[in-house]
Amino acid sequence: MVDLKSLTMEEMKAFVLSLGEKPFRAKQIFKWVYRGAEICDMTDLSKDLREKLLKNACVGNIQIEERLISKDGTRKYLFKLSDGNFIESVFMKYKHGNTICVSSQAGCAMGCRFCASTIDGFSRNLTPSEIIDQIMKTEEDTGEKISNIVMMGIGEPLANFENVIKFLENVNAEDGLNIGYRHISLSTCGLADKIRDLADINIPITLSVSLHSPFNEKRSDLMPVNKKFPIPELISAMRYYLEKTGRRISIEYAMIEGENDTKECANELVRLFSDMLCHVNLIPVNKVKERDYKKTSADKIEAFKNKLCRMGLNTTVRRSLGSDINAACGQLRKNRMNNENLSD
Ligand code: SAH
């Protein structure tokens, strides 16, 4: 079965040709899919074509399994996929528009020590359909239009490269969700080879790099991926990305008490990045109950930020939304999977 929600326009054309149909049908079907239609709703197609589609294709649908709604309007969704897997998305209301944080994989193989998404390991890559449907189902459920997307949910997007690129293409397409690339951020733990591949494709999204420490030894301890792509290699890929795209890179830095919040860390960050077109985003680390990390105090984060700014590194502290439903990313999925295993 072909999932029509996973096909790019080019792939849709090839698919309709394979059914013995004219290429212009591709655009019609593509439009219907992103208006949320099922095959039987596609009334401007011939009955014969609809029957062929019903036989050979489907329109993927993920299901809302649970939703948590915060006082500030933030919503956290647990979605169930057709194979029983679970993923999460978060809907946030900002002045500049509604933002969604989407997952790119079920589970994660990267093993970052402070992250809940990786504790039970990796299950599988999401299809383009399953990534884009997080946006469609959230828009349907909230009745609101989403204008910004961050790929900062469960999974490592660059480890699911092809599907993520197709997803981005369909989100951006005029007959898809029609959301500009400039309204999309993609966050990576630092797969340097894939950052270069992304640079070569040259789409104007914002790249976020999860750094979390400017020292190789500490970073490898927090993020095992650093053993494969140590900081100098990561920085060289970031510079390549900048050269190719000219787009400012965002550096994510989760503040963990006593681990990465010292004066030495601030100095080294400045040494490594002050001549790069970038922006540092400090995030108080979220508590994960399986881990014993503590967040750096608000005062200390502010002082760290001021020090970086004084020394010429553009830095902000991420405002925390939905603090009353503040399960760290990956925890809803984890809780649900544990419950299902218990009931097996
Ligand atoms: N795999 C990608 C995207 C998903 S994680 C990446 O690593 O960038 C999105 C961001 O949340 C990353 O910066 C990640 O390091 C951070 N993160 C993970 N666990 C966290 C926690 N407990 N508290 C704060 N940030 C966390």
Side-chain angles (χ1 to χ4, degrees):
M1 270 292 190
V2 172
D3 183 345
L4 298 174
K5 223 178 245 177
S6 271
L7 302 183
T8 62
M9 187 67 96
E10 280 309 304
E11 290 173 331
M12 190 72 86
K13 275 186 196 151
F15 179 62
V16 297
L17 285 175
S18 79
L19 296 178
E21 296 283 334
K22 297 257 163 52
F24 78 92
R25 294 292 185 195
K27 193 174 160 89
Q28 285 180 310
I29 300 173
F30 194 86
K31 271 188 171 175
W32 279 118
V33 167
Y34 295 103
R35 275 185 251 149
E38 295 296 325
I39 292 169
C40 53
D41 303 327
M42 301 181 182
T43 46
D44 57 358
L45 306 181
S46 67
K47 196 154 170 263
D48 180 47
L49 173 53
R50 264 181 279 159
E51 265 158 28
K52 275 193 245 176
L53 286 179
L54 283 169
K55 235 183 259 156
N56 297 289
C58 62
V59 182
N61 274 305
I62 62 173
Q63 307 293 332
I64 297 176
E65 180 74 11
E66 196 180 329
R67 80 166 78 57
L68 302 177
I69 305 181
S70 157
K71 278 185 257 158
D72 64 22
T74 302
R75 289 178 177 221
K76 193 150 194 179
Y77 289 96
L78 181 72
F79 288 111
K80 188 170 189 171
L81 310 180
S82 57
D83 67 350
N85 245 307
F86 294 102
I87 52 165
E88 292 172 28
S89 315
V90 185
F91 169 84
M92 292 158 285
K93 293 177 86 79
Y94 287 102
K95 279 203 199 81
H96 58 270
N98 294 327
T99 300
I100 187 167
C101 174
V102 296
S103 296
S104 56
Q105 299 182 311
C108 186
M110 297 298 130
C112 298
R113 297 245 320 264
F114 45 83
C115 181
S117 301
T118 200
I119 292 172
D120 289 324
F122 174 68
S123 173
R124 68 170 174 85
N125 281 329
L126 300 188
T127 62
S129 170
E130 289 165 333
I131 310 176
I132 210 162
D133 212 23
Q134 297 170 54
I135 306 172
M136 294 175 70
K137 292 298 183 293
T138 300
E139 284 192 336
E140 198 182 304
D141 191 61
T142 55
E144 297 203 38
K145 182 88 189 111
I146 286 168
S147 52
N148 299 287
I149 302 166
V150 296
M151 302 203 77
M152 291 191 180
I154 296 169
E156 168 49 46
L158 295 186
N160 183 14
F161 196 82
E162 260 185 50
N163 289 348
V164 164
I165 299 300
K166 285 181 190 176
F167 154 76
L168 292 172
E169 190 177 326
N170 289 350
V171 163
N172 183 247
E174 207 181 323
D175 292 324
L177 297 189
N178 198 16
I179 298 175
Y181 282 131
R182 285 167 206 280
H183 296 263
I184 305 173
S185 294
L186 182 150
S187 179
T188 176
C189 63
L191 302 182
D193 55 344
K194 295 292 195 298
I195 291 178
R196 287 172 183 271
D197 292 345
L198 187 66
D200 288 335
I201 294 176
N202 202 352
I203 44 177
I205 58 171
T206 298
L207 176 69
S208 291
V209 173
S210 302
L211 188 74
H212 306 318
S213 171
F215 295 114
N216 261 322
E217 202 176 327
K218 177 49 83 182
R219 189 166 191 267
S220 293
D221 171 45
L222 293 172
M223 305 176 71
V225 69
N226 192 64
K227 292 178 198 143
K228 190 160 178 209
F229 300 109
I231 292 171
E233 233 174 283
L234 176 57
I235 290 183
S236 147
M238 289 163 77
R239 291 199 186 279
Y240 181 77
Y241 187 88
L242 271 170
E243 254 167 53
K244 284 272 169 173
T245 67
R247 294 191 53 79
R248 184 172 81 160
I249 295 177
S250 197
I251 295 174
E252 305 292 303
Y253 199 95
M255 300 287 289
I256 310 171
E257 172 75 36
E259 298 271 344
N260 63 1
D261 56 358
T262 60
K263 236 184 14 237
E264 290 72 24
C265 291
N267 290 335
E268 186 65 2
L269 279 171
V270 170
R271 195 181 73 79
L272 293 177
F273 295 104
S274 58
D275 69 337
M276 194 191 273
L277 181 63
C278 68
H279 169 266
V280 179
N281 209 346
L282 302 177
I283 314 154
V285 76
N286 257 315
K287 199 170 165 42
V288 175
K289 73 172 186 302
E290 290 81 2
R291 303 284 190 247
D292 57 1
Y293 289 114
K294 274 207 212 104
K295 66 172 88 167
T296 305
S297 70
D299 287 355
K300 218 164 153 188
I301 295 178
E302 196 59 25
F304 196 85
K305 181 195 94 171
N306 291 339
K307 184 171 168 64
L308 293 181
C309 286
R310 263 198 321 273
M311 288 163 55
L313 203 51
N314 197 328
T315 307
T316 48
V317 180
R318 180 174 300 160
R319 194 160 63 94
S320 139
L321 286 179
S323 51
D324 49 336
I325 54 165
N326 206 2
C329 182
Q331 294 207 318
L332 279 184
R333 173 175 192 270
K334 188 165 165 23
N335 293 346
R336 181 56 60 109
M337 289 195 353
N338 289 349
N339 289 345
E340 301 238 322
N341 289 343
L342 287 178
S343 61
D344 273 351

Short mmCIF file of all heavy atoms in Angstrom, two decimals, residues 157-177:
data_model
loop_
_atom_site.label_atom_id
_atom_site.label_comp_id
_atom_site.label_asym_id
_atom_site.label_seq_id
_atom_site.Cartn_x
_atom_site.Cartn_y
_atom_site.Cartn_z
N PRO A 157 16.54 13.91 13.66
CA PRO A 157 16.03 14.08 12.29
C PRO A 157 17.06 13.75 11.21
O PRO A 157 16.70 13.18 10.18
CB PRO A 157 15.62 15.55 12.23
CG PRO A 157 16.05 16.18 13.50
CD PRO A 157 16.37 15.11 14.48
N LEU A 158 18.33 14.06 11.45
CA LEU A 158 19.31 13.81 10.39
C LEU A 158 19.66 12.32 10.26
O LEU A 158 20.29 11.93 9.28
CB LEU A 158 20.57 14.67 10.59
CG LEU A 158 20.36 16.18 10.47
CD1 LEU A 158 21.69 16.91 10.55
CD2 LEU A 158 19.62 16.56 9.18
N ALA A 159 19.23 11.51 11.24
CA ALA A 159 19.41 10.06 11.10
C ALA A 159 18.25 9.45 10.30
O ALA A 159 18.24 8.27 10.00
CB ALA A 159 19.52 9.40 12.48
N ASN A 160 17.26 10.27 9.97
CA ASN A 160 16.11 9.84 9.14
C ASN A 160 16.05 10.81 7.95
O ASN A 160 15.02 11.40 7.64
CB ASN A 160 14.84 9.89 9.99
CG ASN A 160 13.61 9.39 9.25
OD1 ASN A 160 13.71 8.76 8.19
ND2 ASN A 160 12.44 9.67 9.80
N PHE A 161 17.20 10.98 7.32
CA PHE A 161 17.43 12.09 6.40
C PHE A 161 16.42 12.16 5.26
O PHE A 161 15.77 13.18 5.05
CB PHE A 161 18.86 11.99 5.85
CG PHE A 161 19.35 13.25 5.20
CD1 PHE A 161 19.86 14.28 5.95
CD2 PHE A 161 19.29 13.40 3.83
CE1 PHE A 161 20.31 15.46 5.36
CE2 PHE A 161 19.73 14.56 3.22
CZ PHE A 161 20.24 15.59 4.00
N GLU A 162 16.31 11.06 4.52
CA GLU A 162 15.46 11.10 3.31
C GLU A 162 14.02 11.44 3.63
O GLU A 162 13.40 12.27 2.95
CB GLU A 162 15.48 9.72 2.63
CG GLU A 162 16.43 9.68 1.46
CD GLU A 162 16.34 8.34 0.75
OE1 GLU A 162 15.22 7.90 0.44
OE2 GLU A 162 17.42 7.76 0.55
N ASN A 163 13.48 10.78 4.65
CA ASN A 163 12.08 11.03 5.00
C ASN A 163 11.88 12.46 5.51
O ASN A 163 10.86 13.09 5.24
CB ASN A 163 11.60 10.03 6.06
CG ASN A 163 11.44 8.64 5.48
OD1 ASN A 163 11.48 8.45 4.26
ND2 ASN A 163 11.26 7.65 6.34
N VAL A 164 12.86 12.95 6.24
CA VAL A 164 12.75 14.32 6.76
C VAL A 164 12.79 15.33 5.61
O VAL A 164 12.02 16.30 5.60
CB VAL A 164 13.85 14.59 7.82
CG1 VAL A 164 14.02 16.08 8.08
CG2 VAL A 164 13.51 13.87 9.12
N ILE A 165 13.64 15.10 4.63
CA ILE A 165 13.71 16.02 3.49
C ILE A 165 12.39 16.02 2.71
O ILE A 165 11.87 17.07 2.30
CB ILE A 165 14.90 15.69 2.56
CG1 ILE A 165 16.22 15.81 3.33
CG2 ILE A 165 14.90 16.56 1.30
CD1 ILE A 165 16.51 17.18 3.90
N LYS A 166 11.80 14.82 2.54
CA LYS A 166 10.51 14.75 1.84
C LYS A 166 9.42 15.47 2.65
O LYS A 166 8.59 16.19 2.10
CB LYS A 166 10.09 13.29 1.65
CG LYS A 166 10.88 12.60 0.56
CD LYS A 166 10.41 11.17 0.39
CE LYS A 166 11.39 10.46 -0.53
NZ LYS A 166 11.06 9.04 -0.68
N PHE A 167 9.45 15.25 3.95
CA PHE A 167 8.51 15.94 4.83
C PHE A 167 8.64 17.46 4.65
O PHE A 167 7.64 18.17 4.47
CB PHE A 167 8.78 15.53 6.29
CG PHE A 167 8.37 16.54 7.32
CD1 PHE A 167 7.04 16.72 7.67
CD2 PHE A 167 9.33 17.34 7.96
CE1 PHE A 167 6.66 17.66 8.61
CE2 PHE A 167 8.96 18.28 8.90
CZ PHE A 167 7.62 18.45 9.23
N LEU A 168 9.88 17.95 4.66
CA LEU A 168 10.10 19.40 4.54
C LEU A 168 9.57 19.90 3.20
O LEU A 168 8.95 20.96 3.12
CB LEU A 168 11.59 19.73 4.68
CG LEU A 168 12.21 19.51 6.07
CD1 LEU A 168 13.72 19.70 6.03
CD2 LEU A 168 11.58 20.45 7.09
N GLU A 169 9.80 19.12 2.16
CA GLU A 169 9.34 19.52 0.83
C GLU A 169 7.81 19.65 0.81
O GLU A 169 7.27 20.62 0.28
CB GLU A 169 9.81 18.47 -0.19
CG GLU A 169 9.60 18.90 -1.62
CD GLU A 169 10.14 17.87 -2.62
OE1 GLU A 169 11.17 17.22 -2.33
OE2 GLU A 169 9.50 17.72 -3.69
N ASN A 170 7.14 18.69 1.42
CA ASN A 170 5.67 18.72 1.40
C ASN A 170 5.09 19.78 2.33
O ASN A 170 4.03 20.35 2.05
CB ASN A 170 5.11 17.34 1.74
CG ASN A 170 5.36 16.37 0.61
OD1 ASN A 170 5.77 16.75 -0.48
ND2 ASN A 170 5.12 15.09 0.85
N VAL A 171 5.77 20.05 3.42
CA VAL A 171 5.32 21.12 4.31
C VAL A 171 5.41 22.45 3.57
O VAL A 171 4.54 23.29 3.65
CB VAL A 171 6.23 21.19 5.57
CG1 VAL A 171 6.07 22.52 6.27
CG2 VAL A 171 5.89 20.08 6.53
N ASN A 172 6.50 22.60 2.82
CA ASN A 172 6.76 23.86 2.12
C ASN A 172 5.92 24.04 0.86
O ASN A 172 5.61 25.15 0.47
CB ASN A 172 8.26 23.92 1.78
CG ASN A 172 8.65 25.23 1.13
OD1 ASN A 172 9.03 25.26 -0.03
ND2 ASN A 172 8.53 26.31 1.86
N ALA A 173 5.54 22.93 0.23
CA ALA A 173 4.85 23.00 -1.07
C ALA A 173 3.59 23.85 -0.99
O ALA A 173 2.84 23.79 -0.01
CB ALA A 173 4.50 21.59 -1.54
N GLU A 174 3.36 24.64 -2.05
CA GLU A 174 2.18 25.50 -2.07
C GLU A 174 0.90 24.68 -1.93
O GLU A 174 -0.03 25.08 -1.23
CB GLU A 174 2.18 26.26 -3.40
CG GLU A 174 1.47 27.57 -3.33
CD GLU A 174 1.48 28.26 -4.67
OE1 GLU A 174 2.51 28.16 -5.40
OE2 GLU A 174 0.46 28.88 -5.00
N ASP A 175 0.87 23.52 -2.56
CA ASP A 175 -0.32 22.67 -2.44
C ASP A 175 -0.21 21.69 -1.28
O ASP A 175 -1.08 20.85 -1.06
CB ASP A 175 -0.54 21.88 -3.74
CG ASP A 175 -0.93 22.82 -4.88
OD1 ASP A 175 -1.65 23.80 -4.61
OD2 ASP A 175 -0.51 22.57 -6.03
N GLY A 176 0.90 21.78 -0.55
CA GLY A 176 1.04 20.99 0.67
C GLY A 176 0.56 21.85 1.83
O GLY A 176 -0.52 22.43 1.77
N LEU A 177 1.39 22.00 2.88
CA LEU A 177 0.94 22.84 4.00
C LEU A 177 1.31 24.30 3.79
O LEU A 177 0.89 25.17 4.56
CB LEU A 177 1.50 22.32 5.32
CG LEU A 177 1.03 20.92 5.74
CD1 LEU A 177 1.49 20.62 7.16
CD2 LEU A 177 -0.48 20.74 5.64
#
